[in-house]
Amino acid sequence: MGARIREIPAKLPKNFDRPDEPWYHHLTIDLIWKVLGYTVFHPWVAWVIVLCLRAQVTPYQSLEMQIAIVWAFLTTGRAIFGIINAKLAYGNAREVDLSEEVIVITGGVGGLGALIAEVYGMRNANVAVLDTKKVDLEEAEEKGVVYYECDVGDAQQVDEAVKEIVEDLGPPTILINNAGIVHTQSILDSTAEEVRQTFRTNTFSHFNTLRSCLPHMLNEGRGTIVTVSSVLGHLGAANLSSYTSSKAALLALHSSLRAELAQHPNGEDIKTILVTPGQMSTKMFAGVRTPSNFLAPVIAPVDIAKEVIGLIEKGESGDVAVPLYSRYIQILGVLPLGVQVLIRKWSGIDTAMAKAGLMKADKTALNEKR
């Protein structure tokens, strides 16, 4: 008999915690856009329509044939432009073999980080999680993940943890900077310590892990770095000033990182992924209501994880921005200020914390990891 297969208990992630919601709750602009992408806007479908018209002996001079041909060329041109644009922006993909990769995830005990860590753990990848929360050895073995108790805001602790990872698993080649906390106070109610703690965890931790892990990637000549920011980094929001500011800093940091890697002789095969999600169904913003489930749906962590894991394993750089509005939210900044004010009022972005009852009068933090 062969070796007994190790059983790994797994809880499948739920897309929604409210199973009794009506069917139209799941009808969103993101779903419609995805369906259109595989049908009306897909080059293959467009050329099939042309072939079907020809099969009916439709003359080339007819209006419907001319419209179909023009549309087929437009969709094909759009697809080719997208491929060329991605090549110019991110270069060629690198080869990824999970058996030869060492994955480091910050804030990987809960939320999005935990989901990604457990997926790779079940696939027998080398996964190291840095988090301040303790995990039992038995639970860690069941998940196939190695946990290191570490405050990622402390540079010395990160250096020591990475040294242990190199000894235990090997040099890190995939870094997922995911750790994050939020303080829901106004600027006047916040304290210097709260602001410092937010930036320490949300922003400074990225510098700490990059300084410790990036040299190993450069020596290996390969790697992938994932920066988890937020759509609020583009927008800002009342009563979330320290959180949104810390996430906005990550947008600039990631751009600088890409520019520096492009200039480094060993940086060609180090890929970068920027994640700017909208509201996720995690404990961090539980209770916050979206202004429109159709235009701005709440995203399950599994939807973000699938896209991040997909890019990592393809060996590609890229941006993960879901739902759809987060991909184009920067357009808001070029609109007239009056229009911006109206959109912010309609969206309720500046009143969401108060309405959700998440304002902390006692100035305690929602320390749930993203």
Side-chain angles (χ1 to χ4, degrees):
M1 295 180 63
R4 185 173 180 270
I5 298 176
R6 181 166 64 97
E7 295 181 358
I8 301 177
K11 291 179 65 178
L12 296 178
K14 297 180 179 179
N15 283 332
F16 294 94
D17 295 327
R18 301 182 293 274
D20 296 330
E21 290 173 337
W23 65 269
Y24 54 79
H25 176 87
H26 307 286
L27 181 62
T28 65
I29 192 172
D30 291 70
L31 178 60
I32 294 174
W33 185 256
K34 186 174 183 179
V35 171
L36 289 175
Y38 283 104
T39 55
V40 177
F41 297 111
H42 199 288
W44 187 84
V45 175
W47 284 110
V48 165
I49 294 174
V50 174
L51 292 175
C52 289
L53 289 173
R54 282 302 298 157
Q56 296 177 350
V57 199
T58 304
Y60 286 107
Q61 295 79 13
S62 64
L63 179 62
E64 58 268 33
M65 176 60 81
Q66 291 178 354
I67 292 175
I69 292 175
V70 169
W71 182 250
F73 273 109
L74 288 175
T75 54
T76 303
R78 174 178 172 270
I80 294 173
F81 173 79
I83 295 172
I84 295 174
N85 180 63
K87 288 290 184 182
L88 290 174
Y90 306 124
N92 296 322
R94 76 177 183 94
E95 293 185 6
V96 176
D97 183 351
L98 288 182
S99 63
E100 298 180 357
E101 305 286 340
V102 176
I103 305 167
V104 177
I105 305 174
T106 66
V109 173
L112 175 63
L115 182 57
I116 296 175
E118 291 172 22
V119 167
Y120 279 126
M122 287 188 290
R123 296 172 62 184
N124 291 322
N126 301 307
V127 186
V129 166
L130 306 182
D131 205 304
T132 55
K133 296 180 180 179
K134 294 183 179 179
V135 176
D136 294 336
L137 182 60
E138 183 178 349
E139 180 183 352
E141 290 179 352
E142 287 179 350
K143 294 179 178 179
V145 178
V146 182
Y147 292 88
Y148 297 84
E149 189 176 351
C150 172
D151 179 0
V152 290
D154 187 319
Q156 184 175 353
Q157 288 190 38
V158 172
D159 287 340
E160 292 174 356
V162 171
K163 287 180 182 177
E164 290 185 40
I165 292 171
V166 173
E167 294 176 359
D168 298 339
L169 304 175
T173 55
I174 297 175
L175 171 63
I176 303 176
N177 275 318
N178 166 77
I181 62 171
V182 60
H183 287 274
T184 54
Q185 280 90 28
S186 66
I187 296 173
L188 294 178
D189 290 334
S190 63
T191 65
E193 175 59 24
E194 288 169 346
V195 174
R196 186 194 67 82
Q197 183 185 17
T198 300
F199 272 86
R200 190 172 182 269
T201 303
N202 295 2
T203 308
F204 299 159
S205 63
H206 289 243
F207 285 92
N208 296 337
T209 54
L210 285 172
R211 282 194 296 263
S212 296
C213 295
L214 187 54
H216 294 287
M217 297 183 191
L218 292 171
N219 288 335
E220 294 287 319
R222 60 189 172 92
T224 300
I225 300 170
V226 180
T227 302
V228 181
S229 182
S230 169
V231 70
L232 290 177
H234 293 295
L235 296 172
N239 304 314
L240 285 171
S241 57
S242 59
Y243 176 81
T244 57
S245 299
S246 66
K247 291 297 184 179
L250 296 181
L251 302 177
L253 170 61
H254 199 75
S255 295
S256 297
L257 173 64
R258 283 177 172 172
E260 291 183 12
L261 288 174
Q263 297 177 0
H264 198 284
N266 294 335
E268 182 179 357
D269 274 345
I270 298 179
K271 303 303 175 181
T272 57
I273 301 171
L274 177 63
V275 185
T276 53
Q279 183 180 341
M280 287 197 293
S281 56
T282 61
K283 294 181 180 179
M284 182 173 280
F285 291 108
V288 178
R289 295 184 63 85
T290 177
S292 170
N293 189 71
F294 178 76
L295 296 174
V298 176
I299 300 299
V302 64
D303 295 323
I304 306 290
K306 284 191 296 186
E307 295 210 25
V308 172
I309 291 172
L311 282 175
I312 289 174
E313 296 187 5
K314 289 178 184 176
E316 297 178 351
S317 294
D319 294 343
V320 176
V322 288
L324 184 64
Y325 78 87
S326 61
R327 195 181 308 171
Y328 304 103
I329 198 64
Q330 296 180 64
I331 297 175
L332 181 65
V334 302
L335 296 177
L337 291 178
V339 176
Q340 293 185 39
V341 169
L342 292 176
I343 292 176
R344 293 184 73 93
K345 284 185 177 179
W346 170 80
S347 67
I349 186 174
D350 296 320
T351 58
M353 291 297 105
K355 288 182 178 179
L358 295 179
M359 297 300 295
K360 296 293 181 179
D362 60 351
K363 297 186 178 182
T364 58
L366 298 178
N367 287 323
E368 295 295 339
K369 297 295 181 185
R370 181 182 281 282

